[in-house]
Amino acid sequence: MLFRLIILFSIFPFFVCHSASFTTENTSSADKKLVSLLPKSEFRNVTAVNWLAKSTMPQAADKPMSSRDVSYILRKTGFEPSPSEVSQWVGEYRSTLITNLIEGLKTELVNNYPAWTKLEPRYWGQNDWPESKRSAFRSARRQEVSELRQWWITQMLASKSPLAERMVLFWENTFVAGFSGLDEKSHAQWMHHKTIRNHATGNYRELVHSMVKDPAVLIYLDNNRNERQSPNENLARELFELFTLGEGNYSEADIKEAAKALAGWHVSEFGKISFLEKSWARDFSKKEIFGIRKNFNGEGLVDLILRHQKASEFVVKRLWSEFVSLEPMPTVVLAYWSEAFRKTDYEISELLTIILNSSYFWDDKYRATSVKSPAELLVGMVRMAQHNEIPISVLDARLADMGQVLFDPPDVSGWGYGEYWIDAAKLIEREQFQDLFAQSLNDKNMAQVEIKNSADISMSPKKALNKIKLKLAGEAYQGMPPYDVSIKHAGGKWFSDINYLQSARDTERLGRYKDESQWVWENISLEVPHDVKDIEQIGIRFITDAAGNGGDRNLFIGAVEWQGTILPGSLGVQTPGCSNDNSGTLRHPDRLYCAGELTLEWKKLTKKLAQEQVHITEKSVFETNELVLLWLKPPSEGKRQSIDMMFDNLTFMDQNWDYFGFQVVLDTEHGNHFHIAFDEDRCLPSCFVRWPSGAWKDKLGLRHSVVSFNSSEEWARRQYPSLKKADKELVKSIISLTPRITELVANTLSHREPDSKNIWMKRMDEFQRFANMKRWIPKNDYRLVEHNLSKSDATQKMNNMQSMMSPLELDDMKYTLGSGEAITFDEWHDLLETFLTLASEPLESWMLSHYEGERLTDLKQVVMSPYLNIK
Amino acid sequence: MDILRRNLMSWMAIMTMSPTLSWASGFSNKYLVLVELKGANDGINTLAPFETDNYQKFRPNLHLKKDQIIDVGQSPLVGRVGLAQSMSALDGSISEDLAMIQGVGYPGQNRSHFKSIAIWETGGDGQNSRTSGWLTKSLEKLYSSDEVVAHGASLEGSLGLFARGEGVYVSMARLNQLAGLSAYDTSTSVNSLMKKIIKKKADLSQASKQLSQKLARFPAARLPSRMPHSDFSTQLTDVLRVIGSETSIPVMHVQHGSFDTHEGQKWQHPRLLSDLAEGLASFRQNLIKMGRWDDVLVVTYSEFGRRVAENGAEGTDHGTASVQFAMGGKVNAGLYGDYPSLDKLENGDLIHTMDYRSIYETVCSSWLREKNNEWHDYSDTRLRTLIS
């Protein structure tokens, strides 16, 4: 025993020097642990090369590689390699390939992010929208995330740096923020992904810091509701347990205190979705975390966590599961790698270098000991074959069937490892995909001289015919939903052939879609003859419905594009629809649950649209998209009664705001005082050119001010007079909107109590009397122009839809497989021959032995191999 | 992790190998069926407080009229209450074995579907989140993995209810998923992981063959009464087959919905309720005829109720407390708990009068016979007579 200890000590010189002085100790009290934190000197920014040079860690990079070695490292650090990827490295040194992988680490985009990511749809102020509009809004956001999932798949297929893509997937599965928990905020989802992509191979410290401020994480883990007065511990708990330290390395008291540190870290939905610190919700008291008492905020908390010894161990353990094995991680390895992670000051790429150089990574013992995730399996198969005939939307649907909806792990703990992926249902779906892929590789396609690596197989480069494009989703039952398209035009009526929606979910085997956010949207492009022009009407017909024991066939129409104009399906009319579901047909004309047709009055709808666009260009000095009533306090609640108002975009004289909020307030605490309140965090940019000297400044330096009508208190009265002239004029103009505000109060759906409307209307009468006072009349009569309201209801709906939908692309994403040039069937097999001659376990030897000496020459057989499940 | 250490397929294999079923002492052929009303059921229009003025006042368009309800009794704070007429399929059950538990909710209501259902599934509340399924600890304590085919099964395809459980939990959207699995050759490998996969696949294809035989002997057509045609009833049919074959899965999860009636509730909600009632009524009929109704307890749950006041779209938004049902041969019919007042609201919402974990406590102590269970603190005397 003593002997063994001595050996261990000599193996880890770095480890020992701190393990003696910085350990976690259990005190007698069960829930309170004293945690010793590592000193700053532990994080020294040593490079991997220097660390490797000094370390006693066994290394194994100084060896030439067999094809078996090459395919092993490429498979494990990326996706299943193609024969050509393997052959190019056979005979080279391991270290050369490692250097190449690390230097080539690029999370850069092969395809640009989908066009919708440039939009800023209005997530706020929807309380008074009709449900049809809210529903269409949500549908658009879901279509966007479906597009983002498919974009991500093309990124993995096309990337020249599979390791970088695997790291993106790894962090997405660590800092989970699933779409079904984001209230349809597709933009938060995208920003989360973008941030992860930026830091995936960079510095872990920066990654954690940015994740704790990430809007999607804050929404997903309820930190938006974490306030000083009523703390919510969700983020604090998961930050410790699932993001950074792991269970057992903190106490319940630490969680409570950490929640306080994170209180007030919220998300602003006004304008662009973004991180917002709310001073009223912050907790500025001292908190004791890991035995240290300090006024921590979120940043301080993260810094503290990263000094915890378990922080580096947590990441390293997860990387072991991700890149090495399901076998338990030897403690020696844990000590080496976590020490290396700290010494390199949490540089992810440096740690990866060290992992790949270690003999543990290359050890035969750990080869073929873990299970590929569905994304690894699917992307790997396509990259290996260097060929794909399956539309991306179908790949997206199949990933979901295998249990991996990208951007939406089942819960905050993410997807699992190993046997998690091969329970009965998932294993069946994996085999189904292998079948499908094998079928798609028919010899004819592979033998074609002109090889297409592109997803768009309907594109014919020879004739530039017109195209009609559709975005469809659906459910299948005893067959895919059949549909056709008809176009009524000046010269008659054109009908397309009958098509089948390939990405529809098989409800007979898998049940219906449980969550609309998981609908898979397929982009379809159909060729239309030249003589079809001057279009009046477009119809999409769901030809035959089917339903039965445990299944249903349905067709959903997201959007239609004709010559650059895109209209959402929700603007159409459904006929005849289901007989027992009349109002459903009206609400969601875009969802065909029974055989029928969706008709879009193309000419009329586009004409209205054109008129509006002309209208919008008119300018005035006081204009907004819309004055929105955000929220109204129920009269029975509290002393301070308020109506929250916000301009969606505001132009006043020469100034422009993205949003500008104010409150109409009745303070019943000391008599009935009416005032208007302005808060700096409700305006972008700041509400006033110069805030009044008496404005209250909160602890974050944000200002709050009131313009009082009838208060006798000095602090309230003195604020308005110290405003600048232009600001005064703005305030007066807002007061002059009282009739408009009264109208909004009368019509809002926000009255939560039976008498609320009457009570508020009386108050507004009183408010109007103050507003009529001479001192509040603005110098000029600036009449407010509200663009969204200057239109009829139908066109308003369309304008909104259009602005949400039009930048969407209805084209399939193009990509070139990152695993090398497309090759023919024969070439693939020639390469395989070479590849197999040199190969051994696991996949390669199985392929040889399985056919008893008969060499495997059919790619389809390779694709069907159960060995593709493991890595 | 060992969550799915065994799977549906291997139990199917076991099932067919020992058709006489000699389960160990732990499992007594009693089944708990949890019915999730997905999307948040409107309790107020399910069990309507039709005598209070505020019911009509808050719901000028949506309130159920006198001829649209079945008067089921008196509740202290609101007077008489009535079950929606659309649930009349359960007529025969009302005085026999249908319990209506009023005002069920939890402190610190979370109004997100996703998050609130996770709270119900794990037994947390607005202040305290929990991570593992509310029943998992009890099930794993009561039954060893050898005693049961699975501790729990979802016939809807999700495992949220059994989150982070360490026993055997299975999920299968449809038994159909097994059909058409390709026959698999039994090659072998030196790799242990590969061996496992190959074995699993072999079991699977064998089980699939055997299962189709088994199901052929137990087709829906041969159930004592026909099940209605709906997605919900399809799941209940699978449950009936499991019960009929005495397969040891003490807990099964089914789902019905979506109850998220933000608009068009007037026509949507009655249809949802009648599908629910018709499904449950046929389920009950079948089990009575099979002589198994005493062995089954059905309990509903839903993420939250809906707001008292209707919205402008003839619908209702996310609210708080709601009514939940329990049914079964051992259930004593009637109203339980107190209907929340419609005069005293909190921000326009009902104030819950019973913590949902009191139901969990009753299920654990009276059905699973686990006296000192995790939910002991929520024990509520008002539920003492729920299960006899």
Side-chain angles (χ1 to χ4, degrees):
Chain A
M1 196 62 205
L2 188 65
F3 177 64
R4 188 183 283 173
L5 267 177
I6 291 165
I7 292 178
L8 281 177
F9 273 38
S10 62
I11 294 176
F12 331 111
F14 291 123
F15 181 61
V16 167
C17 77
H18 58 72
S19 70
S21 45
F22 307 100
T23 47
T24 305
E25 287 166 24
N26 274 312
T27 61
S28 51
S29 128
D31 200 38
K32 207 165 180 195
K33 282 182 185 172
L34 261 180
V35 179
S36 300
L37 297 158
L38 302 173
K40 288 221 170 80
S41 59
E42 182 67 15
F43 307 93
R44 277 190 305 206
N45 216 353
V46 173
T47 64
V49 174
N50 287 339
W51 190 89
L52 285 167
K54 285 186 192 154
S55 172
T56 53
M57 180 185 78
Q59 297 173 30
D62 193 19
K63 269 189 187 164
M65 290 179 291
S66 65
S67 70
R68 179 180 167 241
D69 269 356
V70 179
S71 56
Y72 171 73
I73 185 173
L74 294 180
R75 171 185 307 126
K76 212 101 179 209
T77 62
F79 303 101
E80 195 67 43
S82 69
S84 53
E85 276 178 291
V86 176
S87 60
Q88 102 187 66
W89 288 103
V90 175
E92 299 279 352
Y93 275 82
R94 287 173 178 176
S95 54
T96 319
L97 178 50
I98 295 169
T99 309
N100 183 279
L101 289 175
I102 300 297
E103 282 175 359
L105 272 177
K106 278 188 195 109
T107 51
E108 73 186 16
L109 310 183
V110 178
N111 279 333
N112 288 330
Y113 286 114
W116 63 262
T117 57
K118 295 191 190 80
L119 279 182
E120 286 178 19
R122 199 179 91 188
Y123 286 99
W124 54 274
Q126 301 183 357
N127 282 347
D128 289 343
W129 282 12
E131 180 59 24
S132 60
K133 189 166 160 182
R134 272 195 269 182
S135 160
F137 182 90
R138 288 196 297 264
S139 172
R141 305 287 83 78
R142 292 186 202 116
Q143 289 177 48
E144 287 167 355
V145 167
S146 170
E147 201 170 309
L148 194 65
R149 287 198 303 265
Q150 293 173 26
W151 169 86
W152 191 3
I153 295 172
T154 64
Q155 186 70 27
M156 289 190 276
L157 289 174
S159 176
K160 298 279 182 205
S161 178
L163 175 55
E165 288 303 317
R166 284 281 302 280
M167 288 308 292
V168 172
L169 196 55
F170 173 78
W171 295 123
E172 280 274 2
N173 195 28
T174 305
F175 298 100
V176 171
F179 184 57
S180 48
L182 293 185
D183 302 329
E184 263 82 34
K185 293 193 176 62
S186 52
H187 286 72
Q189 190 80 73
W190 164 65
M191 285 156 62
H192 180 255
H193 185 78
K194 200 170 80 163
T195 306
I196 282 185
R197 197 164 273 282
N198 284 344
H199 296 289
T201 60
N203 188 280
Y204 177 67
R205 189 185 293 280
E206 288 168 22
L207 176 65
V208 183
H209 271 290
S210 60
M211 283 294 107
V212 175
K213 281 184 172 177
D214 181 77
V217 168
L218 295 169
I219 297 167
Y220 185 74
L221 293 174
D222 297 325
N223 209 62
N224 236 351
R225 293 158 17 106
N226 183 6
E227 296 158 11
R228 179 172 56 84
Q229 299 83 348
S230 58
N232 184 302
E233 297 169 4
N234 211 357
L235 175 59
R237 182 179 301 277
E238 305 305 5
L239 179 63
F240 284 153
E241 183 187 336
L242 296 168
F243 290 179
T244 59
L245 295 174
E247 220 167 340
N249 297 316
Y250 49 87
S251 69
E252 285 297 311
D254 289 332
I255 291 181
K256 285 208 157 51
E257 296 290 284
K260 289 185 193 170
L262 292 165
W265 277 29
H266 291 187
V267 173
S268 167
E269 293 178 7
F270 304 123
K272 203 175 159 191
I273 290 180
S274 56
F275 169 74
L276 177 72
E277 197 169 3
K278 288 199 186 122
S279 70
W280 59 267
R282 278 281 315 276
D283 185 329
F284 294 97
S285 67
K286 286 203 165 147
K287 302 113 192 157
E288 187 177 317
I289 308 171
F290 305 150
I292 294 197
R293 219 178 133 71
K294 213 173 149 184
N295 176 14
F296 289 107
N297 62 6
E299 276 148 0
L301 174 66
V302 171
D303 286 335
L304 188 70
I305 289 172
L306 293 173
R307 282 180 55 205
H308 197 300
Q309 184 176 324
K310 297 289 174 187
S312 52
E313 293 185 8
F314 179 81
V315 178
V316 158
K317 278 185 198 162
R318 283 185 64 92
L319 284 169
W320 172 269
S321 306
E322 180 77 29
F323 290 112
V324 187
S325 181
L326 298 174
E327 301 289 321
M329 184 181 198
T331 46
V332 205
V333 188
L334 178 63
Y336 278 128
W337 292 4
S338 56
E339 195 254 6
F341 198 27
R342 295 191 297 269
K343 284 285 187 295
T344 57
D345 197 18
Y346 290 128
E347 283 297 333
I348 297 162
S349 63
E350 302 291 312
L351 175 62
L352 288 173
T353 304
I354 288 160
I355 290 175
L356 298 182
N357 272 282
S358 75
S359 66
Y360 309 103
F361 175 81
W362 293 95
D363 196 328
D364 271 356
K365 200 161 72 176
Y366 298 123
R367 298 195 184 194
T369 54
S370 53
V371 178
K372 288 177 188 165
S373 68
E376 287 172 71
L377 177 74
L378 179 144
V379 172
M381 283 169 67
V382 174
R383 291 181 63 114
M384 175 186 77
Q386 291 177 283
H387 192 84
N388 182 35
E389 292 288 340
I390 304 176
I392 298 296
S393 54
V394 175
L395 296 181
D396 183 17
R398 291 305 177 123
L399 267 187
D401 295 348
M402 292 188 270
Q404 196 168 26
V405 180
L406 294 179
F407 296 114
D408 213 357
D411 63 42
V412 61
S413 63
W415 301 297
Y417 286 102
E419 299 213 13
Y420 174 90
W421 291 122
I422 49 170
D423 73 55
K426 296 192 186 88
L427 195 57
I428 291 172
E429 294 312 314
R430 290 166 85 100
E431 188 176 305
Q432 292 273 335
F433 178 73
Q434 288 182 287
D435 267 340
L436 176 81
F437 192 68
Q439 282 165 30
S440 77
L441 295 173
N442 69 63
D443 301 9
K444 207 181 82 205
N445 287 336
M446 287 291 284
Q448 276 172 0
V449 183
E450 184 198 2
I451 297 294
K452 289 181 300 232
N453 241 346
S454 152
D456 189 355
I457 51 169
S458 60
M459 276 279 261
S460 160
K462 288 163 230 152
K463 271 194 248 166
L465 287 171
N466 284 333
K467 282 199 195 76
I468 181 161
K469 293 174 189 168
L470 312 167
K471 205 173 190 79
L472 303 178
E475 290 173 310
Y477 175 69
Q478 298 189 343
M480 305 292 178
Y483 64 92
D484 65 10
V485 177
S486 63
I487 301 179
K488 204 171 141 193
H489 58 106
K493 198 166 182 181
W494 170 85
F495 289 91
S496 77
D497 292 338
I498 295 174
N499 295 286
Y500 294 86
L501 187 70
Q502 296 304 314
S503 56
R505 179 183 173 90
D506 184 356
T507 61
E508 195 174 9
R509 292 194 312 107
L510 305 164
R512 306 252 332 250
Y513 275 119
K514 297 297 172 206
D515 191 331
E516 290 170 18
S517 66
Q518 298 184 351
W519 288 6
V520 169
W521 293 93
E522 182 171 342
N523 292 324
I524 288 143
S525 176
L526 300 171
E527 289 178 347
V528 176
H530 272 308
D531 58 351
V532 174
K533 48 192 156 195
D534 204 6
I535 283 187
E536 275 166 33
Q537 206 183 59
I538 294 179
I540 294 108
R541 194 160 60 112
F542 173 34
I543 299 170
T544 46
D545 188 18
N549 184 15
D552 200 356
R553 190 192 291 163
N554 301 308
L555 182 70
F556 313 125
I557 295 140
V560 180
E561 179 180 347
W562 174 255
Q563 297 188 333
T565 305
I566 302 177
L567 293 182
S570 53
L571 286 183
V573 177
Q574 188 185 134
T575 49
C578 304
S579 54
N580 62 349
D581 180 10
N582 291 330
S583 34
T585 304
L586 288 175
R587 265 171 32 241
H588 299 298
D590 48 337
R591 301 181 188 181
L592 292 160
Y593 289 107
C594 300
E597 184 165 20
L598 178 88
T599 313
L600 282 161
E601 293 293 341
W602 201 264
K603 198 172 189 174
K604 283 186 197 157
L605 290 167
T606 46
K607 202 169 152 192
K608 274 183 189 163
L609 196 74
Q611 286 167 351
E612 270 163 35
Q613 277 163 348
V614 173
H615 186 93
I616 281 169
T617 56
E618 286 176 23
K619 277 275 168 195
S620 79
V621 286
F622 191 21
E623 66 179 320
T624 179
N625 285 338
E626 190 179 343
L627 176 60
V628 181
L629 192 154
L630 278 183
W631 173 246
L632 183 141
K633 209 135 183 221
S636 68
E637 266 183 42
K639 303 275 191 215
R640 189 179 180 276
Q641 295 283 314
S642 61
I643 311 169
D644 282 44
M645 305 289 304
M646 185 163 283
F647 291 103
D648 170 10
N649 219 304
L650 175 68
T651 302
F652 183 73
M653 300 173 73
D654 298 332
Q655 268 187 287
N656 188 280
W657 291 265
D658 285 356
Y659 51 90
F660 186 108
F662 62 94
Q663 289 179 313
V664 176
V665 180
L666 170 64
D667 185 350
T668 59
E669 197 161 14
H670 320 283
N672 281 352
H673 292 159
F674 277 99
H675 57 255
I676 300 188
F678 300 90
D679 303 289
E680 196 169 5
D681 55 3
R682 284 288 174 95
C683 303
L684 186 77
S686 187
C687 315
F688 300 122
V689 176
R690 194 186 70 201
W691 286 72
S693 50
W696 176 67
K697 210 172 194 178
D698 66 29
K699 288 191 174 174
L700 298 174
L702 292 170
R703 281 156 301 191
H704 308 270
S705 177
V706 298
V707 170
S708 176
F709 292 120
N710 57 340
S711 173
S712 52
E713 289 183 49
E714 180 63 18
W715 68 268
R717 280 168 52 215
R718 73 174 183 208
Q719 303 220 19
Y720 175 77
S722 66
L723 280 174
K724 283 195 117 179
K725 213 172 181 181
D727 290 336
K728 277 183 179 166
E729 195 67 359
L730 173 63
V731 168
K732 285 179 181 173
S733 299
I734 289 171
I735 293 170
S736 77
L737 296 175
T738 308
R740 172 75 186 122
I741 297 170
T742 307
E743 188 190 336
L744 288 169
V745 171
N747 294 323
T748 184
L749 301 175
S750 300
H751 295 290
R752 301 298 196 202
E753 293 174 5
D755 294 327
S756 166
K757 187 168 160 181
N758 290 336
I759 294 171
W760 270 112
M761 292 308 279
K762 274 186 205 135
R763 290 175 181 172
M764 288 311 295
D765 278 349
E766 209 172 328
F767 192 82
Q768 182 69 59
R769 278 201 296 281
F770 288 116
N772 287 341
M773 287 162 64
K774 205 174 166 192
R775 71 179 288 217
W776 299 117
I777 309 292
K779 209 162 81 190
N780 295 311
D781 179 18
Y782 301 109
R783 202 174 54 82
L784 181 74
V785 176
E786 281 181 87
H787 290 303
N788 285 359
L789 296 192
S790 53
K791 294 143 204 156
S792 71
D793 193 47
T795 51
Q796 179 194 340
K797 181 178 165 187
M798 185 165 76
N799 177 47
N800 211 295
M801 293 300 109
Q802 178 71 14
S803 68
M804 288 186 313
M805 302 286 291
S806 54
L808 283 181
E809 290 166 78
L810 267 61
D811 284 320
D812 249 354
M813 273 162 267
K814 310 273 191 301
Y815 62 94
T816 305
L817 287 171
S819 51
E821 291 296 304
I823 56 171
T824 65
F825 209 43
D826 288 344
E827 286 167 342
W828 200 95
H829 289 114
D830 287 347
L831 276 164
L832 185 70
E833 287 280 304
T834 335
F835 176 60
L836 289 178
T837 315
L838 297 161
S840 61
E841 276 274 315
L843 175 63
E844 301 80 3
S845 75
W846 178 82
M847 287 193 277
L848 288 174
S849 65
H850 189 68
Y851 290 89
E852 290 170 351
E854 204 176 312
R855 185 138 295 160
L856 197 62
T857 52
D858 188 347
L859 175 58
K860 282 188 192 175
Q861 287 173 325
V862 177
V863 161
M864 290 298 294
S865 162
Y867 272 89
L868 285 176
N869 282 299
I870 63 172
K871 57 179 177 178
Chain B
M1 232 189 267
D2 223 6
I3 300 180
L4 300 166
R5 129 169 70 104
R6 278 204 281 159
N7 54 65
L8 191 57
M9 302 318 121
S10 50
W11 71 254
M12 279 158 185
I14 294 163
M15 196 165 79
T16 42
M17 276 185 278
S18 52
T20 49
L21 302 159
S22 52
W23 304 116
S25 53
F27 183 70
S28 50
N29 280 333
K30 284 169 75 174
Y31 298 89
L32 172 63
V33 181
L34 293 169
V35 177
E36 179 189 349
L37 306 177
K38 188 186 166 78
N41 178 35
D42 179 22
I44 297 169
N45 272 20
T46 304
L47 188 67
F50 62 94
E51 280 194 344
T52 59
D53 296 339
N54 272 349
Y55 178 49
Q56 284 198 34
K57 200 164 161 188
F58 278 112
R59 298 200 164 179
N61 300 302
L62 289 184
H63 71 272
L64 299 177
K65 300 189 180 62
K66 283 246 163 74
D67 60 343
Q68 291 171 316
I69 51 157
I70 306 163
D71 190 333
V72 291
Q74 183 85 20
S75 200
L77 302 173
V78 296
R80 299 209 71 81
V81 293
L83 194 64
Q85 181 68 39
S86 46
M87 294 185 77
S88 62
L90 286 171
D91 250 347
S93 194
I94 292 172
S95 56
E96 293 289 323
D97 47 29
L98 176 68
M100 294 159 261
I101 309 163
Q102 310 170 91
V104 184
Y106 60 84
Q109 183 68 55
N110 189 313
R111 279 184 181 72
S112 143
H113 290 292
F114 174 77
K115 286 163 192 161
S116 193
I117 204 65
I119 286 174
W120 276 82
E121 286 171 342
T122 55
D125 57 40
Q127 277 84 46
N128 302 294
S129 57
R130 283 172 42 104
T131 46
S132 52
W134 71 271
L135 268 164
T136 51
K137 271 198 191 132
S138 302
L139 291 171
E140 288 152 24
K141 201 163 82 188
L142 291 168
Y143 312 108
S144 76
S145 296
D146 302 331
E147 287 173 291
V148 290
V149 152
H151 288 100
S154 170
L155 289 155
E156 169 278 326
S158 68
L159 280 170
L161 195 56
F162 309 119
R164 300 200 196 176
E166 281 165 13
V168 183
Y169 300 97
V170 298
S171 130
M172 183 123 303
R174 291 286 179 273
L175 293 175
N176 286 339
Q177 197 171 2
L178 283 172
L181 194 80
S182 61
Y184 196 72
D185 66 331
T186 49
S187 54
T188 184
S189 169
V190 291
N191 179 295
S192 59
L193 192 56
M194 220 39 243
K195 268 188 203 154
K196 217 180 259 178
I197 292 177
I198 291 172
K199 168 94 173 49
K200 221 172 210 181
K201 284 197 170 190
D203 284 353
L204 263 171
S205 72
Q206 203 196 355
S208 131
K209 214 185 295 163
Q210 288 165 336
L211 179 84
S212 42
Q213 285 165 5
K214 181 105 184 161
L215 288 183
R217 274 188 270 131
F218 222 113
R222 286 187 58 186
L223 285 169
S225 14
R226 265 184 78 147
M227 291 295 287
H229 176 83
S230 74
D231 205 45
F232 175 54
S233 290
T234 306
Q235 297 170 51
L236 290 179
T237 306
D238 282 349
V239 174
L240 283 172
R241 289 174 168 190
V242 169
I243 297 173
S245 61
E246 306 201 332
T247 303
S248 56
I249 308 176
V251 180
M252 279 172 280
H253 165 235
V254 294
Q255 194 185 68
H256 178 44
S258 166
F259 281 87
D260 201 14
T261 49
H262 284 284
E263 27 113 43
Q265 181 172 327
K266 212 167 193 157
W267 61 271
Q268 225 183 333
H269 195 237
R271 187 178 51 75
L272 286 161
L273 289 182
S274 68
D275 277 354
L276 174 70
E278 282 164 22
L280 289 176
S282 306
F283 182 68
R284 171 177 178 265
Q285 269 311 311
N286 273 301
L287 288 165
I288 289 173
K289 287 181 186 165
M290 288 155 69
R292 303 297 305 281
W293 186 227
D294 281 358
D295 298 332
V296 177
L297 173 66
V298 178
V299 179
T300 66
Y301 69 104
S302 190
E303 48 266 57
F304 31 73
R306 306 194 76 86
R307 200 175 271 283
V308 181
E310 65 183 48
N311 64 25
E314 295 202 316
T316 49
D317 297 327
H318 299 180
T320 53
S322 185
V323 61
Q324 300 304 338
F325 298 102
M327 260 180 101
K330 293 283 186 192
V331 172
N332 292 309
L335 290 170
Y336 289 83
D338 304 293
Y339 210 103
S341 163
L342 269 71
D343 302 325
K344 201 174 151 240
L345 301 175
E346 197 176 82
N347 192 15
D349 280 314
L350 298 177
I351 299 167
H352 76 275
T353 56
M354 182 177 295
D355 195 294
Y356 74 104
R357 289 162 289 197
S358 302
I359 303 178
Y360 290 2
E361 199 281 329
T362 308
V363 169
C364 287
S365 63
S366 304
W367 186 254
L368 300 175
R369 305 275 172 205
E370 186 201 4
K371 285 297 167 210
N372 286 316
N373 57 67
E374 274 188 277
W375 316 104
H376 189 77
D377 292 349
Y378 297 98
S379 171
D380 192 321
T381 52
R382 291 174 296 173
L383 295 179
R384 209 167 36 200
T385 56
L386 184 74
I387 299 165
S388 57

